Amino acid sequence: MATGQLFSRSTQALFYNYKQSPVQRMLDFDFLCGRETPSVAGVINPGSDGFQKLFFGQEEIAIPVHGSILSACKLHPTADVFINFASFRSAYASSMEALKQPTIRVIAIIAEGVPEADAKRLIAYARANNKVVIGPATVGGIQAGAFKIGDTAGTLDNIIHCKLYRPGSVGFVSKSGGMSNEMYNVLARVTDGLYEGIAIGGDVYPGSTLSDHVLRFNNIPQIKMIVVLGELGGRDEYSLVDALKQGKVSKPVVAWVSGTCATLFKSEVQFGHAGAKSGGDEESAQTKNKALADAGAIVPTSFEGLEATIKATYDSLVEKKVITPVKDFVPPTVPEDLNAAIKSGKVRAPTHIVSTICDDRGEEPTYAGVPMSTIIEKDYGVGDVISLLWFKRSLPRYCTKFIEMCILLCADHGPAVSGAHNSIVTARAGKDLVSCLVSGLLTIGPRFGGAIDDAARYFKDAHDKKLSPYEFVESMKKKGIRVPGIGHRIKSRDNRDKRVELLQKYARTHFPNVKYMEYAVTVETYTLTKANNLVLNVDGCIGSLFLDLLSSCQMFTAQEITEIIEIGYLNGLFVLARSIGLIGHTFDQKRLKQPLYRHPWEDVLYTKYT
């Protein structure tokens, strides 16, 4: 066991099994104390590498994450404290590996329930190699104004209240982390505060004992008095009794052993800690308190008298000029986390994203205010969901049915079109599904599948201006613009597109009005006088019929209809539909295990012409 001070303002630790809250609390304590460097040198998460973003005061910093204890110790040779937040199942292996690293001097094991046999092996190895183990089942320890382990001393408010941001004159050791917090508060009230505090842990076999730390405190010049809080069960306090009797402790020791109420119970009582169970009269709180008092410790008559006893001892040392009370000061303000400040109403912050189509914060997600359960219970279809997420309203069933028809009819148009071809070639290159899908989608544009919005835009403008088909087509010709939605490489007057016929039939049967589609048909009649293949294609049909859908359902204003077309809603319908086919082609090629595609030479014109 080390005989002097464990920590300093330059102490750095490695944190095993990352937990954001205790690490951030350590860094906040560092900033509060005015440390220049963070006390956490690195984090160890087995199998992971990278970094974790945390705050050091106002500054956001990156704490490195290492995949093994060995690599972390090699990269941070000055980090000599190992804080182990592993579970009780893996605490032994990770702790033993850390103890075997030459750079590690102190290890804190937070987990409760570490098997006693494992704890004994860790203790034996640590003592044989002059290393310190705090725990298992500990919150850790703290040196005021210098360094703290994990969640020791609780919240920042408690740390400030207990004046732990600067060193006092008292050394404190206890089995209990929770009672340590209470005692730090007491020390701040009746003394100039804590210098170092250790919670050795409540298990039957702690890695270091009460007397181990009392003897250390005795060798630290800044510590002028010592406070010990023990508990019933075990014999740890008797090693302190022996040290006092042998004159190894020269500083005043105020001590109390909790659990005197155990005598009120007729049978043996197990208190909170594994070791807090009296196994006989010698392990009772009363017997331990008497032994400590007989050995020279200052022991109050009850726990209620402990604070007054500490105060009297401190005041006596001040009067004897053994202690010069530490002057207090106002510590720097640690910036509050934004989420905590917002929750407490201290600040307001603007949002970064606005969403009006869905909400996932309640008991179940909603689409445009419609709960997921309603969507399932009322048998909503894909068209209904699109109407909610795209148009933010429930459209009539004939509208959502039309949307679904568009998706069904546009899902695929064979392997030869540019989108499918790209996806096929990419799949045969061994790429993943998303890459194959995106390669096909990237071909969608003015020349392939992307003319629906333009068709709707131009048909609407011409119809609303009451242009005749002749005026519309000839004006487009003068501008050098092909009429979107008119013309097909394969289909013609005598070989009509079946998809167009199906959509027109449905609309004439179910739509209240099809004025834009009928206008597109009159345009087709005129363009067919120019060429046999200048027929109304599926883009033009969908574009004109969507205009009819938006205007005839009487759920959209004229401004909303214009905005829908300008934003690109209708092309979105084609993108959604064709994604089905592109995914199908990708799966087809992978299922067939097709080799890498190479375009045949005979299909390439090799020429010197430029």
Side-chain angles (χ1 to χ4, degrees), residues 403-425:
I403 292 172
E404 292 170 359
M405 286 180 64
C406 292
I407 293 172
L408 294 173
L409 296 174
C410 295
D412 189 56
H413 202 200
V417 296
S418 57
H421 180 79
N422 262 25
S423 291
I424 289 170
V425 171

Side-chain angles (χ1 to χ4, degrees), residues 407-408 410-412 437 574-585:
I407 293 172
L408 294 173
C410 295
D412 189 56
L437 173 61
F574 182 83
V575 170
L576 175 63
R578 191 51 57 95
S579 294
I580 299 170
L582 298 179
I583 292 171
H585 285 294

Side-chain angles (χ1 to χ4, degrees), residues 364-384:
E364 59 178 319
T366 61
Y367 294 165
V370 179
M372 194 67 66
S373 56
T374 300
I375 291 171
I376 299 300
E377 290 165 3
K378 293 192 175 181
D379 200 24
Y380 279 34
V382 172
D384 298 294

Side-chain angles (χ1 to χ4, degrees), residues 173-225:
V173 62
S174 169
K175 290 187 176 182
S176 168
M179 287 305 298
S180 294
N181 285 350
E182 295 298 324
M183 291 305 301
Y184 297 155
N185 209 328
V186 169
L187 295 177
R189 284 199 301 269
V190 300
T191 74
D192 64 354
L194 181 80
Y195 184 83
E196 183 184 321
I198 298 291
I200 65 171
D203 279 1
V204 177
Y205 297 100
S208 51
T209 65
L210 297 173
S211 60
D212 286 336
H213 293 287
V214 169
L215 292 172
R216 271 199 319 104
F217 294 162
N218 197 62
N219 294 331
I220 299 174
Q222 296 91 331
I223 292 178
K224 306 300 182 182
M225 63 177 285

